Structure formats: C-alpha cells, structure tokens
Amino acid sequence: MLVYSIDECFIDLTDYVKLYGKTERELTKTLIDAVFDETGIRAAAGIGTNMFLAKVALDITAKHSPDFTGYLDRDEFRKTIWRHRPITDVWNVGQGIADRLK
C-alpha cells in the first residue's frame, strides 16, 4: 500500500486477487463496501495496469460508473481518455504540460 494523500492510496491487489479467487473489480467492490459499512462514506476506486492508469481511472472514469469503480489499461486509455478534455483533468498534467502538448 502506498499512501498518496489523506484520502487516497494505491494498493497492489495482484496477490490478493489470487488469494481470494476474485476479479480485481470484485475485490475492489469488497473494499468499497467495507469502507461504506464502517464509515458511511462512499468510496471510489480506480483499477489500472500501473499506478498512472489506476489514478486516471479513479479521477475520470470511476465517477461515471454505477459501481464507483473505473478501469483502464493501455487500450482502454487510448479509447476513452486519449481525447478527453480538458487534458489537465489527467493526473500530473498541469497547464504547462498541456500547453506543450498542443
């Protein structure tokens, strides 16, 4: 687990998926439900094949998902995020980088 901020962390679920015999989405739902049951707060999650994709999935796609979970791999990123605007919505892309990408 890598704590990113007071309300975000990265968790590598690879070994836990195997241990519990669940998909990434099923295990993530278990965690989201546990947070809600314990605190009454609805959590959201991003699943990705690396930390960048997981963070972007959380920030952009999870909020539009009925189960509060977003998923991105390389192909899905190209399909759904590649043309997303404003590009500054994407994690770690500030205005300076956005201007250079124009």
Side-chain angles (χ1 to χ4, degrees):
M1 181 185 308
L2 171 68
V3 177
Y4 177 69
S5 68
I6 194 167
D7 65 343
E8 292 185 32
C9 67
F10 292 95
I11 304 170
D12 182 350
L13 294 178
T14 306
D15 293 334
Y16 297 98
V17 167
K18 295 172 188 169
L19 179 67
Y20 291 100
K22 293 185 174 191
T23 67
E24 292 90 352
R25 202 173 211 61
E26 290 168 339
L27 190 51
T28 300
K29 182 178 179 346
T30 300
L31 295 172
I32 288 173
D33 290 346
V35 169
F36 185 77
D37 292 345
E38 181 74 23
T39 67
I41 297 170
R42 178 57 61 199
I47 301 170
T49 51
N50 60 46
M51 288 174 52
F52 172 77
L53 292 175
K55 176 66 170 141
V56 174
L58 168 65
D59 290 348
I60 297 177
T61 65
K63 64 178 87 171
H64 303 290
S65 176
D67 64 357
F68 305 101
T69 302
Y71 172 84
L72 288 174
D73 59 17
R74 187 179 190 181
D75 293 335
E76 195 61 30
F77 180 87
R78 285 187 174 160
K79 242 189 327 191
T80 60
I81 305 299
W82 201 254
R83 290 174 183 73
H84 178 84
R85 296 295 178 262
I87 196 165
T88 51
D89 280 355
V90 175
W91 182 48
N92 238 5
V93 177
Q95 193 58 52
I97 291 174
D99 290 344
R100 286 193 299 273
L101 292 172
K102 288 182 182 176

XYZ file of all heavy atoms in Angstrom:
821
model
N 0.853 -1.171 0.000
C 0.000 0.000 0.000
C 0.896 1.231 0.000
O 1.864 1.293 0.749
C -0.914 0.016 1.231
C -1.832 1.209 1.235
S -2.859 1.436 2.700
C -3.638 -0.114 2.881
N 0.577 2.168 -0.859
C 1.279 3.437 -0.930
C 0.267 4.537 -0.661
O -0.675 4.712 -1.440
C 1.913 3.622 -2.314
C 2.512 4.994 -2.607
C 3.740 5.244 -1.735
C 2.874 5.111 -4.068
N 0.427 5.233 0.451
C -0.487 6.313 0.788
C -0.089 7.530 -0.039
O 1.046 7.995 0.027
C -0.447 6.636 2.290
C -1.353 7.818 2.606
C -0.842 5.408 3.098
N -1.021 8.019 -0.837
C -0.771 9.141 -1.740
C -1.168 10.466 -1.102
O -0.505 11.462 -1.257
C -1.529 8.912 -3.047
C -1.409 10.025 -4.044
C -0.207 10.281 -4.685
C -2.496 10.830 -4.354
C -0.077 11.307 -5.603
C -2.383 11.856 -5.278
C -1.172 12.088 -5.889
O -1.064 13.106 -6.798
N -2.269 10.470 -0.403
C -2.732 11.665 0.291
C -3.633 11.211 1.439
O -3.814 10.019 1.652
C -3.489 12.598 -0.656
O -4.708 12.013 -1.052
N -4.211 12.148 2.141
C -5.035 11.801 3.298
C -6.240 10.938 2.910
O -6.731 10.143 3.698
C -5.484 13.069 4.061
C -6.035 12.698 5.425
C -6.482 13.878 3.239
C -6.208 13.844 6.373
N -6.686 11.061 1.662
C -7.870 10.308 1.250
C -7.642 9.408 0.033
O -8.595 8.944 -0.577
C -9.037 11.262 0.983
C -8.783 12.189 -0.197
O -7.616 12.331 -0.607
O -9.750 12.774 -0.707
N -6.395 9.147 -0.309
C -6.107 8.273 -1.451
C -4.894 7.400 -1.161
O -3.964 7.826 -0.488
C -5.801 9.091 -2.712
C -6.980 9.835 -3.259
C -6.653 10.528 -4.570
O -5.826 10.004 -5.339
O -7.231 11.590 -4.824
N -4.959 6.186 -1.675
C -3.804 5.297 -1.593
C -3.808 4.365 -2.795
O -4.816 4.197 -3.466
C -3.795 4.497 -0.298
S -5.119 3.301 -0.157
N -2.647 3.815 -3.066
C -2.509 2.809 -4.113
C -2.317 1.467 -3.433
O -1.506 1.348 -2.509
C -1.283 3.099 -4.995
C -1.410 4.331 -5.824
C -0.896 5.543 -5.390
C -2.037 4.280 -7.058
C -1.001 6.685 -6.166
C -2.150 5.421 -7.849
C -1.630 6.628 -7.396
N -3.053 0.466 -3.881
C -2.928 -0.882 -3.335
C -2.710 -1.844 -4.492
O -3.511 -1.873 -5.424
C -4.200 -1.303 -2.563
C -4.532 -0.295 -1.455
C -4.030 -2.708 -1.994
C -5.895 -0.526 -0.814
N -1.637 -2.606 -4.416
C -1.391 -3.644 -5.421
C -2.168 -4.880 -4.974
O -1.806 -5.542 -4.006
C 0.094 -3.942 -5.525
C 0.416 -4.980 -6.593
O -0.514 -5.612 -7.132
O 1.608 -5.157 -6.879
N -3.266 -5.175 -5.668
C -4.146 -6.280 -5.296
C -3.781 -7.605 -5.948
O -4.474 -8.598 -5.739
C -5.595 -5.947 -5.676
C -6.258 -4.792 -4.940
C -7.666 -4.574 -5.485
C -6.296 -5.049 -3.454
N -2.703 -7.628 -6.724
C -2.362 -8.807 -7.524
C -2.411 -10.093 -6.720
O -3.112 -11.044 -7.089
C -0.965 -8.635 -8.162
O -0.947 -7.403 -8.885
C -0.653 -9.791 -9.094
N -1.676 -10.160 -5.624
C -1.639 -11.391 -4.823
C -2.972 -11.658 -4.122
O -3.349 -12.815 -3.926
C -0.515 -11.328 -3.792
C 0.866 -11.329 -4.448
O 0.987 -11.854 -5.575
O 1.811 -10.804 -3.832
N -3.700 -10.600 -3.752
C -4.976 -10.775 -3.060
C -6.058 -11.298 -3.999
O -6.931 -12.060 -3.577
C -5.402 -9.466 -2.392
C -4.433 -9.045 -1.328
C -3.444 -8.096 -1.581
C -4.467 -9.629 -0.069
C -2.538 -7.736 -0.615
C -3.558 -9.267 0.909
C -2.600 -8.324 0.630
O -1.690 -7.969 1.592
N -6.006 -10.877 -5.241
C -6.950 -11.393 -6.245
C -6.807 -12.910 -6.327
O -7.795 -13.651 -6.315
C -6.703 -10.719 -7.615
C -7.427 -11.444 -8.730
C -7.133 -9.270 -7.560
N -5.566 -13.358 -6.383
C -5.310 -14.800 -6.438
C -5.736 -15.478 -5.136
O -6.374 -16.528 -5.147
C -3.825 -15.057 -6.692
C -3.361 -14.580 -8.040
C -1.843 -14.682 -8.167
C -1.365 -14.018 -9.444
N 0.097 -13.879 -9.472
N -5.390 -14.873 -4.003
C -5.696 -15.456 -2.695
C -7.204 -15.628 -2.481
O -7.657 -16.678 -2.025
C -5.113 -14.575 -1.577
C -5.374 -15.023 -0.147
C -4.634 -16.333 0.143
C -4.925 -13.942 0.830
N -7.981 -14.603 -2.818
C -9.428 -14.646 -2.583
C -10.216 -15.206 -3.759
O -11.426 -15.373 -3.659
C -9.947 -13.252 -2.219
C -9.474 -12.801 -0.860
C -8.405 -11.922 -0.721
C -10.082 -13.279 0.307
C -7.959 -11.521 0.531
C -9.644 -12.884 1.555
C -8.584 -12.007 1.655
O -8.151 -11.614 2.895
N -9.549 -15.458 -4.871
C -10.232 -16.021 -6.032
C -11.297 -15.096 -6.593
O -12.350 -15.555 -7.043
N -11.024 -13.800 -6.561
C -11.968 -12.813 -7.087
C -11.295 -12.039 -8.207
O -10.069 -11.999 -8.311
C -12.374 -11.822 -5.983
C -13.186 -12.435 -4.866
C -13.639 -11.376 -3.902
C -14.569 -11.979 -2.857
N -15.222 -10.951 -2.061
N -12.108 -11.391 -9.025
C -11.563 -10.488 -10.031
C -11.136 -9.196 -9.336
O -11.518 -8.939 -8.178
C -12.608 -10.153 -11.114
O -13.666 -9.381 -10.507
C -13.161 -11.403 -11.772
N -10.393 -8.375 -10.049
C -9.990 -7.083 -9.487
C -11.216 -6.252 -9.106
O -11.270 -5.644 -8.048
C -9.142 -6.279 -10.491
C -7.789 -6.853 -10.774
C -7.773 -7.827 -11.943
O -8.862 -8.188 -12.479
O -6.672 -8.248 -12.325
N -12.215 -6.265 -9.960
C -13.426 -5.484 -9.710
C -14.191 -6.024 -8.501
O -14.692 -5.251 -7.686
C -14.310 -5.481 -10.958
C -15.298 -4.327 -11.014
C -15.986 -4.325 -12.369
N -16.392 -3.096 -12.912
C -15.674 -2.019 -13.246
N -14.423 -2.005 -13.053
N -16.187 -0.953 -13.766
N -14.294 -7.341 -8.380
C -14.998 -7.939 -7.232
C -14.288 -7.610 -5.920
O -14.940 -7.252 -4.933
C -15.085 -9.453 -7.396
C -16.016 -9.908 -8.490
C -15.871 -11.391 -8.824
O -14.820 -11.999 -8.529
O -16.839 -11.937 -9.390
N -12.980 -7.716 -5.909
C -12.229 -7.420 -4.691
C -12.304 -5.937 -4.350
O -12.442 -5.561 -3.188
C -10.776 -7.875 -4.832
C -9.937 -7.857 -3.569
C -10.623 -8.589 -2.414
C -8.573 -8.473 -3.845
N -12.258 -5.106 -5.364
C -12.387 -3.672 -5.147
C -13.753 -3.329 -4.574
O -13.876 -2.515 -3.656
C -12.139 -2.909 -6.469
O -10.813 -3.214 -6.919
C -12.294 -1.430 -6.293
N -14.811 -3.971 -5.079
C -16.155 -3.753 -4.531
C -16.207 -4.152 -3.058
O -16.836 -3.470 -2.238
C -17.201 -4.522 -5.334
C -18.625 -4.281 -4.817
C -19.655 -4.991 -5.636
C -21.071 -4.812 -5.167
N -21.351 -4.273 -3.864
N -15.533 -5.235 -2.701
C -15.474 -5.664 -1.304
C -14.871 -4.559 -0.439
O -15.376 -4.257 0.649
C -14.648 -6.963 -1.172
O -15.272 -7.987 -1.948
C -14.526 -7.408 0.268
N -13.788 -3.931 -0.915
C -13.149 -2.855 -0.161
C -14.034 -1.614 -0.082
O -14.160 -1.003 0.984
C -11.805 -2.500 -0.795
C -10.738 -3.589 -0.758
C -9.529 -3.180 -1.581
C -10.345 -3.908 0.674
N -14.662 -1.261 -1.196
C -15.561 -0.100 -1.213
C -16.722 -0.313 -0.243
O -17.094 0.587 0.517
C -16.068 0.171 -2.645
C -14.942 0.742 -3.501
C -17.273 1.095 -2.642
C -15.284 0.883 -4.969
N -17.294 -1.501 -0.263
C -18.399 -1.815 0.650
C -17.948 -1.784 2.109
O -18.689 -1.319 2.983
C -19.005 -3.177 0.320
C -19.762 -3.184 -1.001
O -20.053 -2.090 -1.545
O -20.054 -4.290 -1.503
N -16.738 -2.261 2.390
C -16.215 -2.249 3.765
C -16.032 -0.813 4.264
O -16.355 -0.506 5.416
C -14.894 -3.015 3.836
N -15.539 0.067 3.405
C -15.390 1.477 3.782
C -16.755 2.074 4.090
O -16.936 2.755 5.108
C -14.673 2.278 2.668
C -14.766 3.781 2.923
C -13.222 1.840 2.532
N -17.733 1.792 3.244
C -19.078 2.327 3.467
C -19.687 1.776 4.754
O -20.255 2.529 5.549
C -19.989 2.023 2.276
C -21.342 2.647 2.414
C -21.514 4.002 2.174
C -22.435 1.892 2.802
C -22.761 4.593 2.323
C -23.679 2.467 2.957
C -23.851 3.831 2.711
N -19.575 0.474 4.976
C -20.143 -0.148 6.170
C -19.514 0.406 7.449
O -20.198 0.593 8.449
C -19.972 -1.670 6.135
C -20.808 -2.334 5.049
O -21.726 -1.677 4.500
O -20.525 -3.513 4.740
N -18.229 0.681 7.392
C -17.504 1.160 8.575
C -17.691 2.650 8.820
O -17.781 3.095 9.954
C -16.011 0.837 8.416
C -15.139 1.249 9.570
C -15.293 0.361 10.797
O -15.718 -0.797 10.670
O -14.985 0.841 11.908
N -17.757 3.445 7.742
C -17.737 4.899 7.907
C -18.977 5.619 7.394
O -19.179 6.788 7.721
C -16.528 5.498 7.155
O -16.730 5.327 5.745
C -15.219 4.871 7.598
N -19.753 4.951 6.536
C -20.876 5.625 5.899
C -20.446 6.498 4.724
O -21.250 7.217 4.150
N -19.172 6.426 4.356
C -18.637 7.214 3.250
C -18.534 6.332 2.015
O -18.014 5.226 2.073
C -17.240 7.783 3.607
C -17.353 8.742 4.797
C -16.610 8.469 2.395
C -16.017 9.151 5.375
N -19.045 6.837 0.906
C -18.982 6.104 -0.356
C -17.620 6.347 -0.984
O -17.292 7.460 -1.347
C -20.093 6.568 -1.292
C -20.109 5.917 -2.643
C -20.203 4.409 -2.650
N -21.418 3.936 -2.022
C -21.586 2.690 -1.576
N -20.633 1.806 -1.685
N -22.710 2.330 -1.013
N -16.824 5.321 -1.100
C -15.500 5.405 -1.713
C -15.603 5.138 -3.208
O -16.596 4.588 -3.683
C -14.568 4.384 -1.065
N -14.593 5.533 -3.920
C -14.461 5.226 -5.343
C -13.080 4.624 -5.548
O -12.186 4.816 -4.733
C -14.627 6.486 -6.184
N -12.913 3.898 -6.645
C -11.635 3.233 -6.888
C -11.294 3.253 -8.368
O -12.169 3.237 -9.224
C -11.695 1.786 -6.405
N -10.017 3.268 -8.623
C -9.518 3.145 -9.983
C -8.646 1.902 -10.069
O -7.794 1.685 -9.220
N -8.899 1.093 -11.062
C -8.101 -0.108 -11.298
C -7.329 0.118 -12.586
O -7.894 0.549 -13.595
C -8.997 -1.351 -11.454
C -9.845 -1.569 -10.199
C -8.164 -2.590 -11.771
C -10.918 -2.635 -10.367
N -6.039 -0.172 -12.560
C -5.236 0.003 -13.754
C -4.070 -0.956 -13.774
O -3.722 -1.555 -12.747
N -3.461 -1.068 -14.925
C -2.319 -1.961 -15.075
C -1.024 -1.316 -14.594
O 0.016 -1.967 -14.568
C -2.184 -2.413 -16.541
O -2.199 -1.258 -17.381
C -3.332 -3.336 -16.927
N -1.083 -0.054 -14.188
C 0.016 0.615 -13.498
C -0.585 1.746 -12.662
O -1.790 2.013 -12.732
C 1.087 1.116 -14.484
C 0.552 2.113 -15.494
O -0.175 3.042 -15.153
N 0.909 1.920 -16.759
N 0.248 2.404 -11.856
C -0.269 3.423 -10.942
C -0.887 4.609 -11.682
O -1.912 5.147 -11.253
C 0.835 3.894 -9.998
C 1.181 2.850 -8.964
S 2.599 3.244 -7.910
C 2.224 4.830 -7.297
N -0.290 5.022 -12.777
C -0.831 6.136 -13.539
C -2.244 5.822 -14.039
O -3.169 6.613 -13.854
C 0.081 6.475 -14.725
C -0.517 7.489 -15.663
C -0.532 8.832 -15.334
C -1.087 7.096 -16.863
C -1.097 9.772 -16.185
C -1.655 8.022 -17.729
C -1.661 9.367 -17.386
N -2.407 4.653 -14.647
C -3.719 4.288 -15.179
C -4.748 4.112 -14.064
O -5.914 4.484 -14.224
C -3.614 3.036 -16.042
C -2.835 3.228 -17.349
C -2.679 1.892 -18.077
C -3.494 4.259 -18.252
N -4.324 3.575 -12.924
C -5.245 3.433 -11.793
C -5.710 4.806 -11.298
O -6.894 5.014 -11.019
C -4.570 2.658 -10.667
N -4.791 5.751 -11.204
C -5.140 7.099 -10.729
C -6.063 7.802 -11.715
O -7.058 8.426 -11.323
C -3.857 7.900 -10.521
C -4.073 9.346 -10.124
C -4.710 9.475 -8.767
C -4.667 10.946 -8.330
N -5.866 11.360 -7.653
N -5.770 7.698 -13.009
C -6.635 8.328 -14.014
C -8.011 7.656 -14.029
O -9.037 8.331 -14.146
C -5.974 8.305 -15.413
C -6.922 8.833 -16.479
C -4.690 9.138 -15.391
N -8.035 6.341 -13.864
C -9.323 5.631 -13.794
C -10.138 6.142 -12.614
O -11.351 6.347 -12.731
C -9.094 4.125 -13.679
N -9.497 6.366 -11.492
C -10.196 6.909 -10.319
C -10.701 8.323 -10.606
O -11.874 8.630 -10.393
C -9.263 6.934 -9.105
C -9.768 7.727 -7.901
C -11.025 7.094 -7.318
C -8.687 7.850 -6.851
N -9.817 9.181 -11.086
C -10.163 10.590 -11.263
C -11.192 10.852 -12.354
O -11.992 11.769 -12.237
C -8.904 11.405 -11.596
C -7.958 11.537 -10.417
O -8.359 11.209 -9.286
O -6.813 11.982 -10.638
N -11.181 10.051 -13.419
C -12.027 10.371 -14.569
C -13.148 9.359 -14.794
O -14.292 9.744 -15.008
C -11.174 10.538 -15.840
C -10.217 11.732 -15.650
C -12.050 10.752 -17.073
C -9.274 11.979 -16.785
N -12.867 8.067 -14.747
C -13.907 7.105 -15.126
C -14.739 6.589 -13.956
O -15.908 6.262 -14.150
C -13.308 5.910 -15.904
O -12.447 5.176 -15.050
C -12.544 6.375 -17.127
N -14.172 6.517 -12.762
C -14.922 5.954 -11.627
C -16.167 6.765 -11.292
O -17.206 6.208 -10.942
C -14.026 5.840 -10.396
N -16.080 8.072 -11.445
C -17.223 8.924 -11.089
C -18.417 8.739 -12.030
O -19.517 9.141 -11.719
C -16.798 10.380 -11.005
C -16.333 10.971 -12.307
C -15.957 12.437 -12.185
C -14.522 12.568 -11.763
N -13.995 13.915 -11.819
N -18.185 8.122 -13.180
C -19.264 7.874 -14.134
C -19.724 6.417 -14.125
O -20.541 6.014 -14.943
C -18.813 8.255 -15.551
C -18.357 9.675 -15.659
N -19.221 10.749 -15.575
C -17.127 10.211 -15.802
C -18.544 11.863 -15.674
N -17.271 11.572 -15.813
N -19.202 5.649 -13.188
C -19.504 4.221 -13.132
C -20.510 3.935 -12.016
O -20.365 4.449 -10.909
C -18.199 3.459 -12.867
O -18.456 2.095 -12.709
N -21.523 3.111 -12.293
C -22.522 2.829 -11.269
C -21.957 2.141 -10.025
O -22.513 2.276 -8.942
C -23.541 1.926 -11.969
C -22.948 1.536 -13.262
C -21.804 2.446 -13.552
N -20.828 1.439 -10.171
C -20.244 0.776 -9.001
C -19.061 1.560 -8.427
O -18.315 1.061 -7.607
C -19.828 -0.670 -9.330
C -18.726 -0.764 -10.366
O -18.295 0.272 -10.910
O -18.283 -1.902 -10.643
N -18.897 2.819 -8.863
C -17.859 3.717 -8.351
C -16.444 3.199 -8.614
O -15.514 3.527 -7.888
C -18.041 3.985 -6.849
C -19.396 4.506 -6.507
C -20.362 3.664 -5.976
C -19.739 5.825 -6.738
C -21.629 4.134 -5.662
C -20.996 6.304 -6.437
C -21.944 5.461 -5.898
N -16.297 2.376 -9.646
C -15.002 1.800 -9.976
C -14.702 2.053 -11.444
O -15.526 1.769 -12.307
C -15.004 0.276 -9.712
O -15.326 0.048 -8.341
C -13.646 -0.327 -10.002
N -13.520 2.586 -11.690
C -13.071 2.781 -13.059
C -11.939 1.815 -13.365
O -11.202 1.414 -12.466
N -11.805 1.456 -14.614
C -10.736 0.553 -15.037
C -10.081 1.088 -16.298
O -10.765 1.493 -17.232
C -11.269 -0.856 -15.325
C -10.212 -1.739 -15.949
C -9.291 -2.400 -15.152
C -10.107 -1.866 -17.332
C -8.288 -3.176 -15.720
C -9.111 -2.638 -17.909
C -8.210 -3.292 -17.097
O -7.209 -4.052 -17.658
N -8.752 1.101 -16.308
C -8.026 1.479 -17.507
C -6.809 0.579 -17.699
O -6.056 0.344 -16.754
C -7.520 2.921 -17.428
C -8.544 4.038 -17.550
C -7.878 5.394 -17.308
C -9.223 4.021 -18.904
N -6.684 0.078 -18.899
C -5.417 -0.494 -19.333
C -4.991 0.361 -20.520
O -5.638 1.368 -20.845
C -5.535 -1.989 -19.675
C -6.531 -2.286 -20.782
O -6.923 -1.366 -21.535
O -6.934 -3.454 -20.901
N -3.907 0.005 -21.164
C -3.386 0.824 -22.248
C -4.418 1.039 -23.368
O -4.625 2.163 -23.836
C -2.145 0.141 -22.800
C -1.403 0.924 -23.799
C -0.201 0.119 -24.221
N 0.690 0.907 -25.018
C 1.795 0.450 -25.529
N 2.151 -0.795 -25.304
N 2.556 1.217 -26.255
N -5.074 -0.026 -23.799
C -6.051 0.087 -24.882
C -7.264 0.905 -24.472
O -7.762 1.735 -25.236
C -6.490 -1.303 -25.362
C -5.362 -2.065 -26.039
O -4.426 -1.417 -26.563
O -5.411 -3.309 -26.035
N -7.758 0.657 -23.266
C -8.927 1.400 -22.777
C -8.591 2.884 -22.610
O -9.417 3.754 -22.876
C -9.412 0.795 -21.454
C -10.784 1.220 -21.046
C -11.885 0.827 -22.037
O -11.762 -0.196 -22.725
O -12.879 1.570 -22.115
N -7.374 3.181 -22.167
C -6.929 4.576 -22.051
C -6.991 5.258 -23.412
O -7.518 6.366 -23.533
C -5.503 4.628 -21.503
C -4.967 6.020 -21.348
C -5.195 6.739 -20.190
C -4.233 6.614 -22.365
C -4.698 8.041 -20.042
C -3.730 7.906 -22.229
C -3.969 8.610 -21.069
N -6.469 4.597 -24.427
C -6.491 5.189 -25.764
C -7.912 5.383 -26.278
O -8.206 6.366 -26.962
C -5.694 4.318 -26.735
C -4.218 4.463 -26.522
C -3.429 3.747 -27.564
N -2.021 4.055 -27.360
C -1.048 3.325 -27.823
N -1.302 2.254 -28.531
N 0.197 3.666 -27.594
N -8.798 4.447 -25.946
C -10.186 4.533 -26.400
C -10.962 5.627 -25.681
O -11.746 6.350 -26.296
C -10.886 3.182 -26.160
C -11.366 2.521 -27.402
C -12.238 1.305 -27.199
C -11.922 0.468 -26.000
N -12.592 -0.818 -25.961
N -10.786 5.747 -24.366
C -11.676 6.603 -23.589
C -11.061 7.905 -23.098
O -11.781 8.873 -22.888
C -12.220 5.849 -22.358
O -11.120 5.459 -21.542
C -13.031 4.641 -22.751
N -9.762 7.954 -22.925
C -9.131 9.126 -22.312
C -8.307 9.932 -23.316
O -8.143 11.128 -23.165
C -8.217 8.707 -21.133
C -8.989 7.890 -20.112
C -7.593 9.928 -20.472
C -10.146 8.591 -19.460
N -7.815 9.299 -24.335
C -6.887 9.926 -25.280
C -7.363 11.312 -25.725
O -6.572 12.232 -25.825
C -6.708 9.000 -26.476
C -5.458 9.248 -27.249
C -5.358 9.845 -28.475
C -4.129 8.887 -26.872
N -4.060 9.860 -28.883
C -3.273 9.286 -27.914
C -3.580 8.269 -25.761
C -1.907 9.088 -27.876
C -2.216 8.060 -25.725
C -1.393 8.479 -26.767
N -8.635 11.461 -26.000
C -9.174 12.732 -26.481
C -9.932 13.502 -25.391
O -10.628 14.469 -25.691
C -10.074 12.480 -27.691
C -9.289 12.044 -28.907
C -10.178 11.639 -30.073
N -9.425 11.168 -31.213
C -8.790 9.990 -31.291
N -8.821 9.164 -30.282
N -8.131 9.644 -32.368
N -9.833 13.069 -24.146
C -10.526 13.732 -23.031
C -10.053 15.182 -22.893
O -8.876 15.469 -22.969
C -10.270 12.967 -21.729
C -10.903 13.624 -20.539
N -12.218 13.404 -20.202
C -10.415 14.497 -19.634
C -12.504 14.117 -19.127
N -11.415 14.783 -18.762
N -10.979 16.072 -22.689
C -10.665 17.473 -22.461
C -11.423 17.974 -21.261
O -12.570 17.587 -21.078
C -11.013 18.333 -23.690
C -10.199 17.990 -24.927
C -8.729 18.298 -24.742
N -7.925 17.941 -25.899
C -7.222 16.813 -26.016
N -7.233 15.921 -25.077
N -6.493 16.585 -27.082
N -10.860 18.793 -20.409
C -9.516 19.335 -20.527
C -8.470 18.301 -20.105
O -8.692 17.522 -19.178
C -9.505 20.527 -19.577
C -10.495 20.169 -18.522
C -11.558 19.338 -19.237
N -7.359 18.322 -20.776
C -6.308 17.352 -20.501
C -5.739 17.535 -19.084
O -5.178 16.620 -18.510
C -5.197 17.409 -21.569
C -4.343 16.145 -21.475
C -4.386 18.690 -21.458
C -3.451 15.890 -22.646
N -5.930 18.706 -18.521
C -5.450 18.946 -17.157
C -6.235 18.141 -16.123
O -5.851 18.096 -14.959
C -5.496 20.447 -16.816
O -6.800 20.947 -17.126
C -4.445 21.220 -17.615
N -7.335 17.502 -16.521
C -8.040 16.567 -15.630
C -7.180 15.339 -15.349
O -7.381 14.656 -14.352
C -9.341 16.055 -16.269
C -10.487 17.035 -16.144
O -10.330 18.082 -15.495
O -11.553 16.746 -16.726
N -6.272 15.042 -16.270
C -5.446 13.843 -16.148
C -4.365 14.100 -15.118
O -3.696 15.136 -15.123
C -4.834 13.452 -17.512
C -3.891 12.281 -17.380
C -5.950 13.130 -18.512
N -4.195 13.127 -14.236
C -3.248 13.224 -13.134
C -1.869 13.651 -13.612
O -1.312 13.094 -14.537
C -3.173 11.864 -12.437
C -2.278 11.781 -11.249
C -2.212 12.640 -10.198
C -1.353 10.737 -10.961
N -1.311 12.203 -9.279
C -0.766 11.023 -9.726
C -0.969 9.580 -11.634
C 0.183 10.215 -9.132
C -0.021 8.763 -11.037
C 0.544 9.080 -9.809
N -1.329 14.651 -12.961
C 0.028 15.142 -13.187
C 0.188 15.934 -14.483
O 1.301 16.205 -14.895
C 1.035 14.000 -13.143
C 2.100 14.232 -12.092
O 2.032 15.193 -11.341
N 3.076 13.364 -12.051
N -0.902 16.281 -15.153
C -0.818 17.131 -16.340
C -1.290 18.517 -15.940
O -2.480 18.752 -15.767
C -1.662 16.583 -17.523
C -1.606 17.543 -18.707
C -1.184 15.199 -17.927
N -0.327 19.402 -15.761
C -0.640 20.784 -15.428
C -0.758 21.619 -16.685
O -0.609 21.117 -17.811
N -1.000 22.901 -16.503
C -1.197 23.775 -17.651
C 0.049 23.856 -18.519
O -0.039 23.915 -19.745
C -1.622 25.176 -17.193
C -2.151 26.029 -18.322
C -3.344 25.390 -19.033
O -4.323 24.984 -18.407
N -3.270 25.286 -20.350
N 1.236 23.843 -17.916
C 2.478 23.898 -18.690
C 2.618 22.715 -19.630
O 2.938 22.872 -20.812
N 2.370 21.523 -19.121
C 2.435 20.323 -19.962
C 1.347 20.376 -21.028
O 1.580 20.055 -22.188
C 2.320 19.041 -19.107
C 3.580 18.879 -18.253
C 2.099 17.813 -19.989
C 3.520 17.736 -17.258
N 0.150 20.795 -20.626
C -0.955 20.884 -21.592
C -0.593 21.819 -22.731
O -0.853 21.524 -23.905
C -2.231 21.346 -20.894
N 0.030 22.955 -22.421
C 0.418 23.916 -23.461
C 1.451 23.304 -24.407
O 1.396 23.505 -25.615
C 0.975 25.190 -22.835
C -0.094 26.016 -22.137
O -1.303 25.785 -22.389
O 0.270 26.872 -21.312
N 2.389 22.531 -23.869
C 3.421 21.900 -24.710
C 2.840 20.799 -25.590
O 3.392 20.491 -26.638
C 4.548 21.352 -23.837
C 5.446 22.439 -23.284
C 6.724 21.865 -22.689
N 6.527 20.951 -21.584
C 6.406 21.288 -20.304
N 6.440 22.551 -19.944
N 6.250 20.367 -19.384
N 1.736 20.202 -25.180
C 1.130 19.119 -25.954
C 0.255 19.623 -27.095
O -0.181 18.830 -27.924
C 0.308 18.200 -25.047
C 1.109 17.387 -24.046
C 0.171 16.671 -23.083
C 2.016 16.392 -24.748
N -0.027 20.916 -27.134
C -0.908 21.462 -28.180
C -0.251 21.374 -29.539
O 0.896 21.421 -29.747
C -1.268 22.917 -27.879
C -2.238 23.011 -26.720
C -2.598 24.453 -26.497
C -3.538 24.543 -25.311
N -3.857 25.903 -24.971
